[in-house]
Amino acid sequence: IAGITQAPTSQILAAGRRMTLRCTQDMRHNAMYWYRQDLGLGLRLIHYSNTAGTTGKGEVPDGYSVSRANTDDFPLTLASAVPSQTSVYFCASSEGAKNIQYFGAGTRLSVL
Amino acid sequence: GQNIDQPTEMTATEGAIVQINCTYQTSGFNGLFWYQQHAGEAPTFLSYNVLDGLEEKGRFSSFLSRSKGYSYLLLKELQMKDSASYLCAVRDGNYQLIWGAGTKLIIKP
């Protein structure tokens, strides 16, 4: 593994189902983030974690939860998916004074 | 509220120069980033400005004026592979990144 790995690459999900998007990084970065990207809108922060054991809410946290049990993993869970959660989800991590964020390849989620 | 504005789409010719503008209004400022995103791929880091002035990196340069809330990304000697979306993002006073919607750059031969 090099960088950030997200799984699955894409998923079609029935409304009401529970879904966990996985994110793993091997760069030992302290900070990690989950974004959603929708056409015509900028990336919107869902949740973030500044270090293992801590998490925080971003701009659009409703309907999503996260955990950060260790440095490498930062899963995002949709407890009961709704069609408005159809989007592309990006996980990112950052480190250093400039706090440059590095992104995974994304998960394309369709909720029907 | 916080706002990042950049043009939705621009078209340029291979070999030419293009300037993509970004204006911002945020609660505090702790740096401005430019990212490149090819269709269907992840954003990748291009440049970072925290002080006023021009930062040059090969064919790409980025400029910042904090007093005007303005930045631009300058791409020289355009190549077909530069066709992508260019995202402007500002780190606000809470150290969170606020993202613009991106500028889709179309390069024509």
Side-chain angles (χ1 to χ4, degrees):
Chain A
I1 300 176
I4 299 180
T5 302
Q6 291 186 234
T9 303
S10 64
Q11 182 75 42
I12 299 174
L13 189 66
R17 296 296 295 270
R18 181 184 179 90
M19 175 75 190
T20 295
L21 308 184
R22 300 184 299 278
C23 175
T24 299
Q25 54 114 350
D26 66 353
M27 298 179 285
R28 307 302 293 172
H29 287 172
N30 279 322
M32 297 188 74
Y33 313 84
W34 273 105
Y35 291 95
R36 60 178 290 172
Q37 186 175 42
D38 302 291
L39 197 62
L41 299 177
L43 288 161
R44 291 184 292 169
L45 183 66
I46 304 171
H47 285 286
Y48 65 93
S49 169
N50 288 329
T51 190
T54 69
T55 62
K57 294 182 179 180
E59 179 187 356
V60 289
D62 294 344
Y64 305 95
S65 64
V66 292
S67 61
R68 187 88 185 277
N70 56 61
T71 297
D72 298 343
D73 301 301
F74 191 43
L76 176 75
T77 297
L78 289 67
S80 178
V82 295
S84 62
Q85 292 178 312
T86 293
S87 188
V88 180
Y89 291 86
F90 287 103
C91 179
S93 70
S94 69
E95 191 65 88
K98 294 181 180 179
N99 209 33
I100 295 167
Q101 294 189 10
Y102 299 93
F103 286 80
T107 294
R108 285 145 188 81
L109 181 67
S110 295
V111 182
L112 305 178
Chain B
Q2 307 201 95
N3 196 48
I4 311 282
D5 285 318
Q6 46 181 137
T8 302
E9 187 174 295
M10 299 181 69
T11 301
T13 304
E14 188 177 17
I17 298 172
V18 71
Q19 178 176 310
I20 302 174
N21 296 325
C22 171
T23 58
Y24 62 89
Q25 291 178 311
T26 56
S27 301
F29 177 86
N30 285 293
L32 185 143
F33 298 80
W34 284 97
Y35 279 75
Q36 181 189 60
Q37 186 178 24
H38 285 100
E41 298 183 7
T44 56
F45 170 74
L46 285 178
S47 68
Y48 170 74
N49 295 71
V50 67
L51 299 176
D52 291 350
L54 188 68
E55 293 281 342
E56 297 185 80
K57 191 185 295 185
R59 294 189 298 114
F60 293 6
S61 303
S62 57
F63 172 83
L64 174 67
S65 170
R66 289 172 295 171
S67 63
K68 295 182 179 179
Y70 168 70
S71 172
Y72 66 73
L73 181 69
L74 192 71
L75 291 74
K76 304 176 185 176
E77 302 170 13
L78 286 170
Q79 302 175 10
M80 297 303 294
K81 67 178 182 179
D82 298 329
S83 292
S85 289
Y86 291 86
L87 314 181
C88 175
V90 173
R91 189 157 64 207
D92 69 9
N94 292 319
Y95 287 85
Q96 296 295 342
L97 276 185
I98 309 300
W99 295 82
T103 298
K104 182 178 180 180
L105 178 62
I106 300 168
I107 309 296
K108 295 185 175 179

